[in-house]
Amino acid sequence: MNPPSLPDQAVLSLKRLKPRWRTRFLQQPAATEAQWQTLWERTEKQFPALFDRLHALYGGRYDFFYHLEEIVFEALNSGLSRSTELQQLDLRRLSNPNWVHDPKMLGATGYVDLQAGNLEGIRKQIPTYQELGLTYLHLMPLFARPDGENDGGYAVSSYRDVDPPLGTMAELAQLAQELREVGISLVVDFIFNHTANNHEWASKAQSGDPEFQQYYWMFDREEDTIAWQQHLRIIFPDRGGSFTWCEKSQKWVWTTFFEFQWDLNYSNPEVFRGMLAEMLFLTNQGIEVLRMDAVAFIWKRAGTDCENQPEAHWILQAYNALCAIAAPALLLKSEAIVHPDEVARYIRPDECRLSYNPLLMALLWESLATRNTRLLRASLHARFPIDPECAWVNYLRCHDDIGWTFDDAIASQLGIDGAGHRKFLNDFYTGRFPGSFARGLPFQENPVTGDARISGTLASLAGLEVALASGAPEAVDLAIERILLLYSVVFSIGGIPLIYLGDESGMLNDYSFAQRPEQASDSRWVHRPVRDWSQEAQALNDPNSPAARIRAGIQQRLQLRCSIPVLAQGQTTFLNVDNDHVFAYLRNQDSQSLLLLNNFTERPQIISSNELKVQGFTDQAQDLLNSKRLQLSGGLHLEPYQARWLQSLGPEAH
């Protein structure tokens, strides 16, 4: 007799395990039959896919069904522990699954200490966030961390403790509740590829505990690491490799990013279950979105570069199913700074419904430097569409560096040499290229290959720093127009726009980081200054200041976006309007259509009437950005760095 198929095994397993789970569940002091029924309905719905993914990951182990039982019970128990308020949030999200496409969606991100000192300071800024129009606040890593170097908090000592100078977990839960009351979802990082080397698990591994040494990738001999290393991409060239010698344990440890960040071993189901418990603990503090850090690296396979392995997707899909049981309101957001084709593979309704859009970010900067939008248009044409249940998070920069993540094959089709073009972009955005308006710093520059990434604030990279130093008003005007042009795109292209806090007020580079030993070797600190609220308030009180002009332009675009659903919903079609200096696209939803035109040069541009007719704009149009009615018969004029959001008025508007 043949063994049962995998779907049949799932059915049999669910039937066999149900009584065990129900008995254990109802033994909990606060459990009720009604709660069991709610959670069980979700479990039945998610279990076939969950069983498939977990079986693919761990089905070859003798103890698979033990781990299956414990993993699912972790989700059931977490769902029981969820507060009444969060259970109500679950029901609201289930009844409105497309809330991420609300036209009012606007995200912002920043570090707690740099923005407001601590969580109490963030709480006091809630009115400011409301005024800006935020519906999504991402607080950068705020968990307990090692002293000294800790990669800006991306080395986590404990997922259940806030770093003491920032506050407590109780304060974080209270902040989440207060934000939720005013319509702002709290987002935090879930750093699940690695822990700090002083995490409880790592400490036990260093002390020789064989159980916890299996939580990480640890090797007795350096030769054992070499076979792996020869296939791996070196993320930080100045480190020279992905393995670190641990004197205390007398073992080599896999450390993809930094020596104090130990990679977790997900081939061990105890690691999967342990990190699930940390994830669900955070959701029960009121976190609504988890930014899944470094998703591409979480599964290792000999003979490969250990990036974007199929198991990485299965792990995320299993976590998604378990969260759908315990906390349906929670969304996962992928952070995959890899080849554009690989980025798209993490975006699925059953995996990560949200994803950063590094391709859009990098190529907007590329278009500013080249004054040409061919590579941007060609790259997005095939890669921007995603499942309608999912959404891009569109950003202009973040806490991290800017890497030139485009497809060399597409570049080659346009006559662009990828390696040479990246060198040009690095030279341009570090100010080395003659005539560059930008001021950034190289990050992890490789002196052998010339590879590098770019650090810098939005305003400094867009030319405001150079313009202010020159004292030329026209240069300041152009820099501000560049900034607003970029925001015009991310506010109108679809998805969720994301602001790095401080950029909305024209924050400039802060070079003082070089005087601090713990930061001096990491140029990314140049774009992470401590926010000076009093100085900013003074600047905003002057309507002619760059800060006030940038803020006003952003808020005007946000208000328009909120009133025009097609800018957040519907489909995006990228257009060739016979002018490569202009980035053009249509936004369509039902019978509504808008034409978005963006001039990426400091020179005026013309779109011919014939090109406009092709898109159905034949007579008159309304520019929603300035409320002007435009006659299109003679073509359309765009000022330097101007964006136009056009609605056709047709011949009846005469």
Side-chain angles (χ1 to χ4, degrees):
M1 180 180 294
N2 293 326
S5 66
L6 201 59
D8 290 340
Q9 287 186 54
V11 172
L12 292 171
S13 299
L14 190 66
K15 182 178 180 180
R16 183 175 67 251
L17 289 170
K18 178 180 179 180
R20 295 170 60 87
W21 284 324
R22 184 175 183 278
T23 298
R24 291 176 66 183
F25 183 90
L26 293 175
Q27 285 173 347
Q28 307 299 310
T32 66
E33 184 65 34
Q35 289 170 312
W36 163 256
Q37 288 298 331
T38 296
L39 289 164
W40 184 248
E41 287 175 9
R42 296 176 191 163
T43 303
E44 285 187 305
K45 181 178 180 180
Q46 299 296 329
F47 192 78
L50 176 62
F51 183 89
D52 178 81
R53 302 305 183 267
L54 291 177
H55 192 274
L57 290 164
Y58 307 119
R61 294 178 59 102
Y62 75 93
D63 55 357
F64 168 69
F65 285 99
Y66 163 76
H67 290 293
L68 174 67
E69 179 177 347
E70 294 304 309
I71 285 168
V72 173
F73 188 73
E74 191 77 55
L76 291 167
N77 200 39
S78 179
L80 172 63
S81 303
R82 203 152 164 81
S83 70
T84 301
E85 182 190 357
L86 292 176
Q87 291 180 42
Q88 292 170 349
L89 177 66
D90 290 335
L91 295 177
R92 292 199 301 275
R93 293 290 191 245
L94 287 169
S95 67
N96 181 25
N98 288 323
W99 66 278
V100 296
H101 295 294
D102 191 304
K104 295 180 181 179
M105 287 294 290
L106 174 65
T109 182
Y111 287 91
V112 172
D113 54 342
L114 302 180
Q115 289 295 318
N118 53 31
L119 291 174
E120 175 61 20
I122 294 289
R123 190 184 69 79
K124 292 178 180 178
Q125 291 298 330
I126 289 177
T128 303
Y129 302 144
Q130 288 180 270
E131 182 183 355
L132 185 58
L134 298 188
T135 60
Y136 160 134
L137 178 63
H138 175 189
L139 298 180
M140 302 302 294
L142 41 69
F143 304 114
R145 63 195 68 177
D147 294 332
E149 289 188 310
N150 53 58
D151 191 22
Y154 280 94
V156 178
S157 303
S158 170
Y159 297 88
R160 302 199 180 207
D161 295 289
V162 170
D163 196 36
L166 303 181
T168 66
M169 188 58 70
E171 287 180 296
L172 182 64
Q174 180 63 28
L175 174 64
Q177 180 180 344
E178 293 188 32
L179 288 168
R180 191 162 51 252
E181 288 171 355
V182 297
I184 301 176
S185 299
L186 182 59
V187 184
V188 303
D189 296 82
F190 189 59
I191 298 113
F192 75 125
N193 174 72
H194 48 261
T195 72
N197 60 359
N198 70 340
H199 187 279
E200 178 186 5
W201 299 345
S203 296
K204 290 180 177 179
Q206 290 179 63
S207 298
D209 187 324
E211 177 185 354
F212 286 92
Q213 288 186 347
Q214 295 300 312
Y215 276 48
Y216 301 94
W217 289 88
M218 305 183 76
F219 304 87
D220 293 324
R221 304 177 307 161
E222 186 174 12
E223 305 91 88
D224 297 328
T225 72
I226 293 172
W228 291 90
Q229 183 66 66
Q230 64 182 338
H231 299 285
L232 303 180
R233 177 166 61 105
I234 298 176
I235 306 302
F236 297 137
D238 61 1
R239 285 198 53 216
S242 299
F243 298 89
T244 299
W245 175 251
C246 175
E247 189 68 32
K248 188 173 181 181
S249 67
Q250 292 290 293
K251 290 182 182 293
W252 289 88
V253 184
W254 199 316
T255 55
T256 294
F257 299 105
F258 292 103
E259 64 275 5
F260 49 81
Q261 294 169 325
W262 286 19
D263 284 38
L264 288 161
N265 178 7
Y266 277 93
S267 67
N268 179 356
E270 292 286 359
V271 170
F272 179 96
R273 180 180 157 205
M275 294 306 286
L276 172 67
E278 306 303 271
M279 178 190 302
L280 295 178
F281 171 82
L282 291 174
T283 69
N284 283 353
Q285 309 312 303
I287 308 304
E288 296 187 38
V289 179
L290 288 176
R291 172 193 176 274
M292 306 299 282
D293 181 62
V295 294
F297 297 90
I298 59 175
W299 191 270
K300 323 297 189 191
R301 172 173 282 110
T304 74
D305 63 2
C306 297
E307 296 183 38
N308 305 303
Q309 298 300 306
E311 290 85 351
H313 296 278
W314 301 343
I315 288 169
L316 287 167
Q317 290 162 20
Y319 279 152
N320 183 293
L322 290 158
C323 291
I325 294 170
L330 180 76
L331 293 184
L332 304 184
K333 175 174 67 171
S334 72
E335 187 258 353
I337 312 303
V338 288
H339 189 280
D341 289 341
E342 296 295 345
V343 172
R345 292 189 177 105
Y346 292 95
I347 311 168
R348 296 169 35 145
D350 65 347
E351 191 164 337
C352 295
R353 284 188 61 199
L354 303 180
S355 174
Y356 286 104
N357 195 343
L359 184 65
L360 175 65
M361 179 274 297
L363 291 183
L364 287 174
W365 289 110
E366 186 271 347
S367 296
L368 270 189
T370 61
R371 281 74 164 180
N372 191 299
T373 67
R374 289 185 306 152
L375 185 56
L376 173 63
R377 182 179 68 244
S379 298
L380 293 184
H381 176 73
R383 294 188 171 98
F384 191 80
I386 54 176
D387 190 288
E389 293 184 37
C390 303
W392 287 115
V393 176
N394 297 317
Y395 64 113
L396 300 174
R397 75 170 190 92
C398 62
H399 72 289
D400 221 337
D401 54 275
I402 296 175
W404 305 115
T405 174
F406 56 81
D407 186 340
D408 283 15
I410 288 182
S412 180
Q413 292 170 9
L414 299 174
I416 299 170
D417 170 64
H421 199 52
R422 289 183 177 90
K423 185 180 186 307
F424 158 71
L425 292 170
N426 286 328
D427 287 346
F428 187 92
Y429 282 105
T430 54
R432 299 168 183 167
F433 190 82
S436 170
F437 52 71
R439 287 299 179 268
L441 296 178
F443 176 68
Q444 289 291 325
E445 190 166 24
N446 188 325
V448 176
T449 64
D451 290 341
R453 282 102 80 186
I454 298 298
S455 300
T457 68
L458 170 63
S460 289
L461 294 176
L464 187 58
E465 182 178 325
V466 169
L468 291 172
S470 75
E474 62 276 14
V476 173
D477 291 343
L478 285 175
I480 292 172
E481 291 303 323
R482 287 188 200 101
I483 293 168
L484 294 180
L485 174 72
L486 294 175
Y487 276 119
S488 293
V489 174
V490 298
F491 274 48
S492 64
I493 201 168
I496 301 172
L498 181 70
I499 295 171
Y500 188 91
L501 288 167
D503 281 351
E504 79 279 11
S505 299
M507 180 172 65
L508 299 176
N509 287 345
D510 178 5
Y511 300 99
S512 66
F513 79 96
Q515 309 305 316
R516 295 184 284 274
E518 70 277 13
Q519 297 176 355
S521 63
D522 187 343
S523 68
R524 293 173 298 179
W525 288 103
V526 78
H527 56 238
R528 303 171 184 170
V530 176
R531 197 159 188 180
D532 187 333
W533 287 98
S534 60
Q535 183 181 39
E536 186 172 316
Q538 185 177 355
L540 292 173
N541 283 333
D542 176 3
N544 297 314
S545 71
R549 292 167 63 187
I550 293 168
R551 177 73 68 87
I554 288 173
Q555 292 190 308
Q556 181 227 8
R557 284 154 177 76
L558 177 62
Q559 289 167 3
L560 271 175
R561 173 187 161 89
C562 291
S563 64
I564 307 171
V566 72
L567 291 175
Q569 302 166 354
Q571 296 182 336
T572 306
T573 304
F574 298 100
L575 308 173
N576 183 350
V577 291
D578 201 28
N579 185 330
D580 288 335
H581 301 300
V582 176
F583 182 41
Y585 47 96
L586 282 172
R587 297 285 295 146
N588 293 292
Q589 184 188 34
D590 300 328
S591 60
Q592 187 175 18
S593 179
L594 293 182
L595 174 61
L596 295 304
L597 300 171
N598 304 275
N599 178 7
F600 270 77
T601 79
E602 58 270 68
R603 299 180 183 278
Q605 299 297 321
I606 298 291
I607 304 298
S608 72
S609 58
N610 285 338
E611 290 294 336
L612 294 169
K613 287 178 183 177
V614 169
Q615 307 308 328
F617 286 71
T618 59
D619 196 64
Q620 291 192 85
Q622 183 88 4
D623 185 346
L624 302 178
L625 279 175
N626 59 21
S627 300
K628 289 185 178 179
R629 181 169 292 187
L630 304 172
Q631 179 61 246
L632 304 179
S633 58
L636 185 65
H637 178 91
L638 287 91
E639 295 292 340
Y641 297 117
Q642 184 178 20
R644 288 195 183 276
W645 295 2
L646 298 181
Q647 184 175 46
S648 178
L649 296 179
E652 70 277 4
H654 280 294

